[in-house]
Amino acid sequence: MTAEIAPDDQRPAWFVQSLERGLSVLQCFDDAHPARTLTEVAEAVGVTRATARRLLLTLAELGFVRQDGRQFTLTPRVMNLGFSFLSGMDLPRLAEPHIEALARQLGETTSVAILDGFDIVYVARVPSSRMLRVVITLGTRFPAHATSSGRVLLAALPESELERYFADAPIEALTPRTLVDRDALRAEITRVRSAGWSEVVDELDVGMRAAAVPLRNSNGTVVAALNTSLHARNYTPTDMIDTVVPAMHDTAARIRT
């Protein structure tokens, strides 16, 4: 993910640009770029090398970044930021016993995800003994368009926010089967909104079938998605409709924030 700095004239007077730049530096490290040089950080964030150097050295002094020769990497301390967020959420705590029960019932991995920008983020997860090729942990992010959870959450957006998503989101193929045509994806999200659940097969990873249903708060507002990740070869569409999805809806009904 590339973190970009917005022009100064688009920011309010109280905006602290140095804080934005520091956070942008942290965000420019990801799975594809676990280590970056000073020049690479400057290019990713959109600042000069001198500014990037000051930001990196400050973050290193605070313990969020380490330097090894020309390479900079994040330290485990950045996890404190995510854990602080999760510890302040009631949803993972409320959902955990229910998704554990669902995981036992189905014998499959279950998760809870929220929408953050163009991505989903996993905030609760119970793995099964069946290994999946995609490694997912708390805090893992995936593009919303290629996931069942993402489509459930996009379907819950107000139309104006969904319009902004389609205008700005980078909708890219992760496998040969990823749905990237915007009109087709919009039609699928409309179908998901009507059906109340989503299924994605081979779009995030070949061989993976995943289903998701919405999680609602006490007011009926969709706040997250409940997801089950499965091996595609072990389930037919009939299995999903007759067994998996009803179990997921039952679980979702028991999770109310």
Side-chain angles (χ1 to χ4, degrees):
M1 178 179 63
T2 300
E4 297 181 352
I5 302 296
D8 291 347
D9 59 5
Q10 296 180 14
R11 299 300 192 188
W14 46 258
F15 194 83
V16 182
Q17 188 180 56
S18 58
L19 177 59
E20 179 196 30
R21 287 174 168 171
L23 293 174
S24 295
V25 169
L26 293 178
Q27 293 177 80
C28 82
F29 295 92
D30 54 24
D31 289 344
H33 307 92
R36 287 186 184 267
T37 65
L38 172 61
T39 299
E40 289 170 343
V41 170
E43 291 175 351
V45 177
V47 297
T48 65
R49 279 172 48 88
T51 298
R53 180 176 181 276
R54 291 196 301 272
L55 292 169
L56 285 165
L57 292 179
T58 299
L59 290 168
E61 181 68 20
L62 294 172
F64 291 105
V65 171
R66 71 164 56 94
Q67 182 178 4
D68 183 9
R70 298 178 62 247
Q71 298 286 322
F72 292 87
T73 58
L74 299 181
T75 73
R77 189 165 191 173
V78 299
M79 297 176 67
N80 292 343
L81 302 175
F83 286 134
S84 296
F85 168 72
L86 290 176
S87 65
M89 291 184 67
D90 288 334
L91 179 59
R93 176 180 56 81
L94 293 172
E96 187 170 354
H98 300 290
I99 66 174
E100 285 180 349
L102 180 63
R104 288 194 301 270
Q105 178 183 351
L106 298 177
E108 301 290 354
T109 296
T110 59
S111 309
V112 173
I114 61 174
L115 188 65
D116 182 27
F118 305 140
D119 300 333
I120 62 164
V121 181
Y122 288 88
V123 298
R125 185 164 175 83
V126 177
S128 75
S129 58
R130 300 184 186 184
M131 297 298 293
L132 297 173
R133 293 198 329 171
V134 176
V135 177
I136 302 173
T137 60
L138 293 184
T140 295
R141 308 174 71 95
F142 288 123
H145 72 278
T147 66
S148 57
S149 292
R151 292 178 186 176
V152 162
L153 294 169
L154 290 173
L157 290 179
E159 194 61 32
S160 60
E161 293 185 28
L162 189 59
E163 287 292 336
R164 285 197 295 271
Y165 170 83
F166 277 108
D168 300 334
I171 300 175
E172 300 172 349
L174 302 180
T175 76
R177 293 195 60 180
T178 306
L179 186 61
V180 294
D181 180 85
R182 290 174 188 261
D183 290 338
L185 183 59
R186 183 186 290 276
E188 174 61 14
I189 290 172
T190 299
R191 188 202 66 77
V192 168
R193 183 181 294 142
S194 175
W197 69 285
S198 174
E199 181 181 22
V200 168
V201 182
D202 295 335
E203 295 193 47
L204 179 65
D205 185 56
V206 174
M208 179 184 291
R209 182 188 297 270
V213 300
L215 287 179
R216 302 177 185 273
N217 63 15
S218 57
N219 296 322
T221 302
V222 175
V223 295
L226 170 64
N227 164 271
T228 300
S229 301
L230 317 150
H231 288 284
R233 66 178 180 272
N234 295 337
Y235 293 85
T236 67
T238 299
D239 293 332
M240 300 298 292
I241 294 172
D242 291 347
T243 303
V244 176
V245 174
M248 295 178 67
H249 277 305
D250 288 345
T251 300
R254 290 192 290 270
I255 303 172
R256 286 279 176 162
T257 61

